[in-house]
């Protein structure tokens, strides 16, 4: 009985995600779901990406948080459309939340929609939003063993961004070991290493995203 209920939730989400996907397709908007632990650097990467893309793409952002509008406040001076979703406790965004947020976004004025998911390394991976691209961040401070402990997001993302590479050498983070583990779990994954703090590696990521989204 319980299993049926859970299946119902996921089926309903898949259905709305498909509708969101169709809406993105009709409006020729490329949608990216950005997932990571709290503090890994999602908002920092969005800031760096917006600056790096400049006027090449028209960008909008949906910010997902349990509470507060701290992140959307950070972005609103960058001259883009930003909508904040507060989940009120839920540890992830779902397709229905995105559908509601889309009522406040003019998709006809966008090329790229970036969705910052709730900071969490587990739950966001389970809910499709209708996105074209699933990107996750792991920051150096979190440790290279995280793919083994939280496998779903690593196996299910198309891109892994290793952020805070400026901190490599300050602890025991082993980049080679991380790469090998992730490639074993998800051979097709594309990995970028960068630092939003120093901007090293950001250009390569931004150019790749531009090619992919346009
Ligand atoms: N050293 C270093 N710090 C960074 C880097 N990128 C982000 N930070 C810092 O990490 C902290 C968290 O960054 P955010 O961008 O807010 O992280 P987030 O993933 O959006 O966090 P939540 O939205 O709370 O889940 C901030 O203090 C950033 O300044 C980096 O490349 N190197
Ligand atoms: Mg954030």
């Amino acid at each position: 009985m319980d299993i049926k209920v859970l299946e119902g939730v996921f089926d309903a989400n898949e259905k709305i995600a498909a509708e969101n996907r169709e809406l993105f397709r009709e409006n020729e908007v490329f949608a990216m779901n950005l997932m990571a632990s709290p503090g890994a650097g999602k908002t920092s990467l969005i800031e760096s990406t917006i600056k790096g893309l400049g006027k090449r793409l028209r960008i909008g952002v949906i910010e997902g948080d349990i509470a507060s509008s701290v992140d959307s406040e950070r972005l609103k001076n960058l001259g883009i459309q930003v909508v904040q979703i507060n989940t009120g406790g839920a540890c992830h965004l779902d397709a229905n939340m995105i559908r509601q947020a889309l009522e406040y976004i003019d998709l006809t004025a966008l090329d790229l929609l970036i969705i910052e998911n709730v900071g969490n390394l587990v739950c966001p991976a389970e809910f499709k939003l209708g996105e074209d691209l699933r990107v996750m961040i792991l920051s150096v401070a979190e440790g290279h063993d995280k793919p083994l402990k939280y496998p779903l997001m690593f196996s299910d993302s198309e891109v892994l961004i290793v952020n805070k590479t400026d901190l490599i050498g300050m602890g025991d983070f082993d980049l080679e070991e991380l790469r090998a583990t992730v490639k074993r779990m998800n051979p097709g994954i594309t990995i970028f290493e960068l630092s939003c703090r120093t901007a090293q590696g950001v250009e390569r990521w931004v150019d790749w995203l531009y090619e992919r989204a346009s």
Side-chain angles (χ1 to χ4, degrees):
M1 191 59 159
D2 284 344
I3 291 170
K4 270 192 191 142
V5 172
L6 275 178
E7 280 176 353
V9 170
F10 286 115
D11 286 351
N13 189 73
E14 285 292 325
K15 189 168 164 286
I16 300 170
E19 289 165 10
N20 291 344
R21 188 171 299 115
E22 181 58 22
L23 209 54
F24 297 141
R25 200 193 57 75
E26 279 168 14
N27 288 281
E28 297 182 351
V29 170
F30 185 85
M32 168 180 140
N33 180 4
L34 183 58
M35 302 172 287
S37 306
K42 296 177 293 299
T43 312
S44 303
L45 184 76
I46 293 171
E47 290 169 323
S48 300
T49 303
I50 291 169
K51 286 176 193 155
L53 283 169
K55 296 211 177 308
R56 282 188 279 174
L57 295 176
R58 298 167 302 163
I59 305 163
V61 176
I62 294 177
E63 277 294 339
D65 276 299
I66 288 177
S68 97
S69 53
V70 171
D71 285 354
S72 48
E73 290 293 327
R74 274 169 69 180
L75 299 176
K76 76 176 187 203
N77 292 330
L78 295 174
I80 57 158
Q81 295 187 59
V82 189
V83 175
Q84 178 80 49
I85 297 174
N86 283 149
T87 65
C91 56
H92 59 84
L93 293 177
D94 64 31
N96 192 41
M97 294 175 196
I98 298 303
R99 176 160 74 180
Q100 288 175 25
L102 290 177
E103 289 174 20
Y104 300 92
I105 291 187
D106 178 9
L107 285 179
T108 64
L110 292 189
D111 304 306
L112 172 64
L113 177 67
I114 303 177
I115 301 165
E116 176 174 342
N117 218 310
V118 178
N120 188 301
L121 208 47
V122 183
C123 314
E126 296 183 16
F127 288 82
K128 300 275 174 358
L129 307 177
E131 69 274 36
D132 298 291
L133 178 66
R134 287 157 81 74
V135 177
M136 71 165 296
I137 302 175
L138 179 75
S139 66
V140 165
E142 292 167 78
H144 56 255
D145 57 354
K146 292 303 164 286
L148 297 171
K149 301 179 71 178
Y150 306 92
L152 181 62
M153 199 177 285
F154 290 88
S155 0
D156 210 31
S157 294
E158 194 180 324
V159 172
L160 166 66
I161 291 180
V162 183
N163 184 34
K164 310 196 187 183
T165 52
D166 55 293
L167 299 180
I168 288 178
M170 300 181 99
D172 61 357
F173 185 84
D174 186 333
L175 186 55
E176 285 312 315
E177 191 168 332
L178 174 80
R179 272 203 211 108
T181 309
V182 174
K183 284 282 182 186
R184 260 198 313 277
M185 297 166 70
N186 183 351
I189 198 165
T190 302
I191 303 177
F192 293 93
E193 292 129 25
L194 56 82
S195 164
C196 292
R197 173 70 43 93
T198 67
Q200 190 172 27
V202 170
E203 196 177 335
R204 197 176 144 249
W205 149 249
V206 168
D207 288 346
W208 183 92
L209 179 63
Y210 175 67
E211 286 302 320
R212 185 65 205 278
S214 51

